[in-house]
Amino acid sequence: VAPRSADPVTTASPAPTALVADDEPLLVQDLVSRLRAVWPELQVVATAGNSIDARRQALALQPDVCFLDVRMPGETGLDAAQA
């Protein structure tokens, strides 16, 4: 008897999640659009306009990847990444 193949519905890993942070709203929209075009399974679970909001959302939502602007006013994306 041949082994039964794994059911792809039950063995599929969850879609990767992301947070996008930039102080320029148009850049956030553009990056989200581009990400969806090249990585359709990626779920953008949050966007942020500053580092403090990005850090708060990242801690709450635990995204798989964060796209952070390194030159935001006040705290930078690098500050958020270190938290």
Side-chain angles (χ1 to χ4, degrees):
V1 175
R4 187 175 160 196
S5 61
D7 181 359
V9 174
T10 59
T11 59
S13 28
T17 58
L19 175 143
V20 177
D22 195 301
D23 58 313
E24 296 290 337
L26 291 177
L27 290 177
V28 171
Q29 291 175 355
D30 185 54
L31 181 55
V32 169
S33 294
R34 290 173 187 263
L35 285 169
R36 287 183 176 145
V38 299
W39 195 355
E41 62 275 11
L42 181 69
Q43 293 182 357
V44 177
V45 294
T47 59
N50 60 63
S51 178
I52 294 168
D53 192 30
R55 182 183 310 161
R56 186 178 69 246
Q57 291 190 58
L59 290 171
L61 300 171
Q62 298 292 303
D64 297 309
V65 63
C66 295
F67 297 90
L68 305 170
D69 180 4
V70 295
R71 293 186 182 173
M72 289 187 277
E75 290 189 2
T76 67
L78 296 174
D79 296 322
Q82 292 175 350

